[in-house]
Amino acid sequence: VNAYQLLLRIAFGCIPPLAVGYLYFQQSIPDVLRNYLFHEIAIGTSIVLSLFVAWITWRCYVSSREPALRFMTLAFLGFAVIYAPHGILTRQDCTNHWLFILYGPASRVAMCGLLLASITRLGHPQESADNWASLRRRWLAWIVLFLAVDGAVLWLAQSAVASDFRIRLIQESAAIAMSLIGLAVIHVRRLKTAILAEYQIAFLLFALSSLTFLLTSAWTNLWCLPIRLTQTPTTCRVGPSAGI
């Protein structure tokens, strides 16, 4: 039974990379599937869900004072704050697509890093209770840091090095590395709880998404996986230089 369960997990985990591999290797000229409205709705939905989960984990942290929950909250909150401009600036793709593109890798680095920090703090002693003023200052400081990351990406997107592939390679590789380290920590520490199964799925999907974004160009069908959309007419050219 255990072997069968393991095989099912492996088979389930192979579905996304097989789909990515098929679209990457079997299509010499990938379809361009630009649809601004769908992208804005999708990003908006992901941000709302991230903020909702951050609120839930924050309430749990206030109640239990577990350090792991604090960093889990920061992971969802940081992802939402840093990722938001990626949706807001969707239509900037035609004028400065780097202003639109570079927020994705930055948000994944923040999310994976904070989730890894959360994993390493599982089982740590409860943190001391702060008064509301102190607690509010601590969380506002993190929000300011996330907004500073948004500002740094804004500056980078308008700089001369914005189109340098190494910028995204470093970011996506960092996200992949932290995801794999998180999986290794769970395995080495033999952590077996229901929430850890969700952690493993999250780390795997984030690693896969970072790898996929390195392989594709903006608005191609691989980038839009698994949603297939009808191409929307536009005067903005999308080519290999607009890589995600």
Side-chain angles (χ1 to χ4, degrees):
V1 172
N2 289 335
Y4 179 68
Q5 184 181 43
L6 178 61
L7 289 174
L8 284 178
R9 290 179 177 176
I10 294 174
F12 178 77
C14 286
I15 293 174
L18 286 174
V20 169
Y22 172 79
L23 290 176
Y24 182 73
F25 291 108
Q26 299 301 321
Q27 300 182 78
S28 58
I29 305 178
D31 295 329
V32 175
L33 307 170
R34 183 188 286 108
N35 189 311
Y36 290 152
L37 180 60
F38 174 82
H39 185 269
E40 289 165 343
I41 293 173
I43 300 304
T45 301
S46 69
I47 291 169
V48 169
L49 291 176
S50 294
L51 290 174
F52 176 66
V53 177
W55 176 73
I56 293 175
T57 53
W58 179 76
R59 293 293 301 272
C60 293
Y61 167 72
V62 171
S63 175
S64 68
R65 297 291 175 171
E66 295 182 30
L69 286 174
R70 177 163 64 90
F71 281 93
M72 188 187 301
T73 303
L74 290 170
F76 287 107
L77 179 61
F79 176 82
V81 173
I82 298 173
Y83 200 48
H86 181 64
I88 296 170
L89 299 173
T90 294
R91 297 174 193 265
Q92 292 295 313
D93 173 55
C94 284
T95 56
N96 181 358
H97 55 252
W98 300 114
L99 190 61
F100 155 65
I101 286 172
L102 292 179
Y103 285 98
S107 66
R108 285 186 286 278
V109 170
M111 173 70 116
C112 294
L114 289 166
L115 283 179
L116 177 59
S118 176
I119 283 290
T120 60
R121 285 163 174 78
L122 283 174
H124 283 203
Q126 293 181 340
E127 297 178 337
S128 59
D130 298 322
N131 58 46
W132 174 247
S134 176
L135 187 64
R136 184 173 57 182
R137 284 195 299 270
R138 174 187 293 185
W139 289 88
L140 284 176
W142 277 100
I143 293 174
V144 170
L145 176 60
F146 297 144
L147 291 174
V149 172
D150 280 334
V153 175
L154 175 65
W155 172 83
L156 179 62
Q158 300 181 80
S159 70
V161 299
S163 60
D164 191 332
F165 177 73
R166 290 173 295 183
I167 298 295
R168 289 176 293 114
L169 178 62
I170 292 172
Q171 290 176 306
E172 302 290 15
S173 297
I176 293 172
M178 288 186 290
S179 296
L180 296 179
I181 292 172
L183 289 171
V185 169
I186 293 173
H187 177 73
V188 171
R189 295 184 60 185
R190 300 184 180 277
L191 302 171
K192 294 182 179 180
T193 62
I195 196 172
L196 266 300
E198 306 296 333
Y199 262 106
Q200 293 180 76
I201 293 173
F203 279 134
L204 284 171
L205 293 180
F206 269 99
L208 178 62
S209 65
S210 291
L211 175 61
T212 303
F213 290 142
L214 285 174
L215 296 176
T216 188
S217 301
W219 300 110
T220 64
N221 50 12
L222 179 56
W223 189 46
C224 295
L225 184 75
I227 305 298
R228 298 300 301 268
L229 305 172
T230 301
Q231 182 176 351
T232 301
T234 176
T235 58
C236 179
R237 177 183 178 274
V238 174
S241 62
I244 195 67

